[in-house]
Amino acid sequence: MAGHNFLFVPGPSNVPNRIQRAMMVPMEDHRSPKFPELTLAVISGLKKIFRTQKGTPIIFPSSGTGCWEAALTNCLNPGDTVLASRFGQFSHLWVDMCERLGFKVQLIEVEWGEGAPPDLYQAALGADKEHKIKAVLVCQNETATGVASDVNAIRRAMDAVKHPALLFVDAVSGLGCIDFRMDDWNVDVCVSGSQKGLMLPAGMGITCVSEKALAARQNATQPRCYFDYLDMVKNNAQGYFPYTPSIPMLYGLKEALAVIEEEGLDNILARHTYLANGVRAAVQKGWGLQLCAKDAKWYSDAVSAIVVPEGFNAAQVIERAYKRYNLSLGAGLSKVAGKVFRIGHLGDLNELMLMGAIAGAEMAMLDMGIPVKAGSGVAAASEYWRNNQPKVAA
Ligand SMILES: *Cc1c(COP(=O)(O)O)cnc(C)c1O
């Protein structure tokens, strides 16, 4: 097929050419005297992305899911209770993992399309006078529904009732796209991965742990081995890894950090908001459709889940877009399968790339008989982008 595939799933995201090129390297000895230069450079670069001085970034050769497991097995004791909310496939999967590892989950069920409710977290923590809850879990950007939650509000809820639990945040699809502040929000473990905002292939679990989390690791007795923070921290301090790291991925990460540094993290976050606003204009003003996110305060600047009208199957729109227009849209997962398709707007993107996704989604919807006005999505996005600029937060 001529031309290239338009990749608009919310991860893996587009890998910029210069990052791909940086990964084309011969293999080398990961125990050489020179190797620490690379390790130490990427670890210190990651601190800026997590906005931390006190925290310790750790890179596991896994995907983001491995870092979910690392958080649970390093910081908790067998059978401990965690407090979590569920409002989409990813928040669900983390809860499912907790249960499969034998932890008790005190669950806050939230309608899909809404986010983590600080008031309900505070009520649950306030009622836990014996401090049985050892960790509080929050999914910052629920990629399945396009919902972003206010992590700092959850931290304030914990502080309001002086609860000592650890705060674990899933920022797999948020890091590098949506504001995240490890130190300011006193996050204990931030879980992320390489293939979303960091513009790399999948294959690296990227996490950051607080001093409190590392202290918890000293006494926590849940079995762990491959994902032990301490093996990593000890080796990383010398610039090495406890086992063979993926060398191309480390060079790719170094380049990705350079790309981020050049644009500036604040500018990147502002660009994500600006691009997301254009997509939302296409969906709402142009097509007259609804987002899965129920309220503007939940809108994600990394991904939009678009609800197709009653009587239509979103899976057919996605299939049509792929087969006819070589456009990859994100599928509806689990509860929202067939009801939504998703446009990922995270990572290395600009207006005209997104115009391709908007035009293609519109063509596929028209082909499936969905009554949107031809050209309306592109017109609304164009109107927004022509008249606005990214606004960098002060
Ligand atoms: C992608 C994603 C995950 C899973 O990450 P993998 O890298 O696929 O293991 C977890 N949480 C969220 C919010 C995600 O978007």
Side-chain angles (χ1 to χ4, degrees):
M1 202 185 280
H4 66 82
N5 172 253
F6 274 63
L7 181 64
F8 282 88
V9 297
S13 65
N14 295 290
V15 179
N17 290 341
R18 63 181 271 199
I19 296 181
Q20 289 190 27
R21 283 195 300 273
M23 294 180 31
M24 299 228 308
V25 290
M27 290 308 105
E28 64 184 87
D29 176 12
H30 63 291
R31 307 210 188 273
S32 78
K34 191 169 178 292
F35 201 76
E37 266 174 43
L38 177 60
T39 309
L40 298 173
V42 295
I43 289 176
S44 79
L46 281 173
K47 285 192 175 190
K48 292 190 198 158
I49 311 296
F50 286 109
R51 298 199 200 264
T52 189
Q53 304 207 322
K54 296 177 286 175
T56 305
I58 297 175
I59 301 164
F60 285 113
S62 69
S63 68
T65 301
C67 298
W68 274 350
E69 182 158 331
L72 301 171
T73 57
N74 276 276
C75 302
L76 301 174
N77 293 313
D80 272 355
T81 299
V82 304
L83 176 66
S85 56
R86 173 160 66 187
F87 41 79
Q89 182 64 3
F90 293 95
S91 42
H92 162 69
L93 286 173
W94 204 7
V95 164
D96 178 63
M97 178 187 274
C98 292
E99 288 169 344
R100 286 161 65 177
L101 289 170
F103 299 108
K104 292 191 200 77
V105 182
Q106 192 172 327
L107 189 58
I108 304 171
E109 287 280 12
V110 177
E111 208 189 326
W112 286 36
E114 296 181 9
D119 50 336
L120 298 186
Y121 273 82
Q122 187 167 328
L125 293 163
D128 177 35
K129 299 287 180 224
E130 293 167 42
H131 296 162
K132 285 197 173 143
I133 296 167
K134 300 300 179 196
V136 171
L137 276 50
V138 188
C139 180
Q140 184 195 26
N141 187 62
E142 177 48 84
T143 319
T145 57
V147 161
S149 290
D150 184 347
V151 173
N152 194 23
I154 303 298
R155 165 46 71 194
R156 287 195 301 265
M158 295 171 73
D159 290 350
V161 294
K162 298 197 167 57
H163 201 289
L166 296 160
L167 175 58
F168 295 172
V169 178
D170 172 347
V172 178
S173 59
L175 196 71
C177 313
I178 295 173
D179 197 22
F180 178 82
R181 295 169 184 272
M182 183 88 186
D183 288 0
D184 290 356
W185 303 343
N186 250 311
V187 173
D188 291 300
V189 180
C190 176
V191 170
S192 195
S194 50
Q195 78 276 24
K196 307 220 170 143
L198 297 180
M199 306 171 287
L200 289 158
M204 262 183 184
I206 298 178
T207 192
C208 190
V209 299
S210 72
E211 290 166 321
K212 186 173 159 188
L214 284 179
R217 158 64 190 79
Q218 296 293 2
N219 303 312
T221 58
Q222 176 74 21
R224 70 187 79 84
C225 175
Y226 192 72
F227 288 113
D228 196 328
Y229 288 157
L230 235 53
D231 294 342
M232 272 290 177
V233 171
K234 278 190 204 150
N235 280 272
N236 285 173
Q238 311 301 320
Y240 296 101
F241 287 84
Y243 33 67
T244 323
S246 168
I247 289 160
M249 286 293 285
L250 286 173
Y251 280 105
L253 176 58
K254 188 172 169 221
E255 191 69 8
L257 293 169
V259 169
I260 293 170
E261 180 81 23
E262 281 168 33
E263 185 176 354
L265 187 53
D266 289 325
N267 295 328
I268 291 172
L269 304 184
R271 171 170 57 80
H272 276 77
T273 304
Y274 160 81
L275 290 174
N277 280 334
V279 174
R280 291 189 284 259
V283 173
Q284 297 169 322
K285 286 203 188 126
W287 299 332
L289 297 179
Q290 308 264 322
L291 291 164
C292 183
K294 300 236 182 291
D295 188 273
K297 75 174 174 188
W298 303 124
Y299 290 170
S300 163
D301 289 341
V303 54
S304 292
I306 297 136
V307 182
V308 297
E310 202 76 41
F312 293 95
N313 184 351
Q316 290 176 349
V317 174
I318 295 163
E319 187 182 334
R320 177 75 180 173
Y322 185 75
K323 286 194 174 154
R324 179 78 164 83
Y325 303 114
N326 203 8
L327 165 66
S328 295
L329 297 168
L333 302 174
S334 166
K335 259 193 205 179
V336 290
K339 295 190 178 139
V340 309
F341 67 86
R342 294 174 297 154
I343 297 179
H345 31 84
L346 71 174
D348 182 45
L349 281 181
N350 61 23
E351 298 94 331
L352 296 191
M353 290 164 86
L354 269 168
M355 279 299 195
I358 293 167
E362 187 176 292
M363 289 157 84
M365 283 195 286
L366 286 165
D367 293 348
M368 298 327 295
I370 297 179
V372 291
K373 186 163 173 272
S376 61
V378 169
S382 145
E383 169 82 15
Y384 180 81
W385 286 325
R386 287 178 48 242
N387 292 301
N388 289 278
Q389 300 238 330
K391 291 187 195 76
V392 179

